Structures are given as C-alpha cells and as structure tokens.
Amino acid sequence: ARADEAHRRLSSLSTMAAWRGLLRTRQMQADSAAKAACSGEASCSRLQTVERLSESLRLLSKTVSEVTGDSGYEPALREMAARHVPQTLNDDAAAARLSSAALATAAHAVAEKELAGLRAEAALTQRFRAPQTLAVLRAARAVVEQA
C-alpha cells in the first residue's frame, strides 16, 4: 500500500513538473521576445518583429489552453492536493497569461516607432514607406487584439 501511494505521489509530481515546465518555458520565451522587441535588439524589420511577437503570443496562448484545458487538469490538481504535492500551476498559468500583455505592449511600441518613422519622412518618400507602415500597424493591432 505504501509503495502504491508513493507511486501515485511520484506520478502527481511528474505531471506537475511537466505542466509547470511547459508554462514557465513559454512565459520566459514570451518575455524574452517582448524585451527584445522593446529594446531594439531585434535584427529584423519591424514587421518581422511584430510577426515574431504574434507567433510568441500564439504559442503562449496555445500552451496555456492545452495545459489548463486538459481534461485531466482539474482531477490532477485535486489528486495533487490529496497527495500533498506542492504545486502552483494556477499561479503559473496566470503569470503566463500576464506575458500576453507584455507581448501586446511590445507590439504597440514597435507600431509607434514605425509610425514615428513615417511621420519623420519627407513627403515624397512617405508614400513609398506608407504600405510598410500600414502592414506593421495591422500586424501590431492583431497582436493587441489577440492578447
């Protein structure tokens, strides 16, 4: 009976560690993408930067929904509580969701920089840059709406 209990507790610990690892990894990736976009460290165009932010947001949202939406999530939490397995999965999911806001803020900042660049252009070159700026603004709006 003790071996069976130890096995169940170990199984609960393993599940918790796997889910927590997924959530924290995605959160760190999203935070890193947002930080790189805001600091100007990105070595790509503003449109590509916003597209990367969008992809980070998509992966983050997918991971959070897959973990918390798993049919075994709530039963697993109850079992972890019954087996006295320490876990903070709901807190980890909430923290990951907060990273969505950081991605949206970063996309907004990139869009503002792009718009400021367009405004600084001479009238003659503005019309050549306008399609690029519009693409960046549309992509950034999509990220903000998804967050």
Side-chain angles (χ1 to χ4, degrees), residues 73-85:
Y73 182 72
E74 290 299 326
L77 291 181
R78 287 191 296 275
E79 184 166 335
M80 288 175 202
R83 307 248 180 261
H84 305 290
V85 173

Side-chain angles (χ1 to χ4, degrees), residues 113-124:
K113 288 177 187 174
E114 181 65 26
L115 197 53
L118 176 67
R119 288 180 181 143
E121 290 282 340
L124 178 64

Side-chain angles (χ1 to χ4, degrees), residues 10-111:
L10 181 61
S11 177
S12 288
L13 278 167
S14 175
T15 299
M16 184 274 303
W19 281 341
R20 186 174 196 203
L22 287 170
L23 291 169
R24 288 202 166 184
T25 298
R26 283 289 183 228
Q27 179 187 0
M28 288 188 306
Q29 289 171 344
D31 291 344
S32 176
K35 182 180 176 184
C38 287
S39 68
E41 293 175 17
S43 60
C44 53
S45 72
R46 288 187 178 128
L47 181 58
Q48 290 171 325
T49 299
V50 173
E51 287 171 347
R52 287 182 181 175
L53 292 170
S54 179
E55 179 65 9
S56 290
L57 178 60
R58 186 188 70 75
L59 292 172
L60 178 68
S61 299
K62 180 181 177 198
T63 300
V64 170
S65 76
E66 284 178 351
V67 169
T68 60
D70 188 298
S71 62
Y73 182 72
E74 290 299 326
L77 291 181
R78 287 191 296 275
E79 184 166 335
M80 288 175 202
R83 307 248 180 261
H84 305 290
V85 173
Q87 58 83 19
T88 58
L89 289 172
N90 285 328
D91 294 339
D92 293 334
R97 285 185 191 102
L98 284 177
S99 291
S100 297
L103 291 168
T105 301
H108 180 262
V110 171

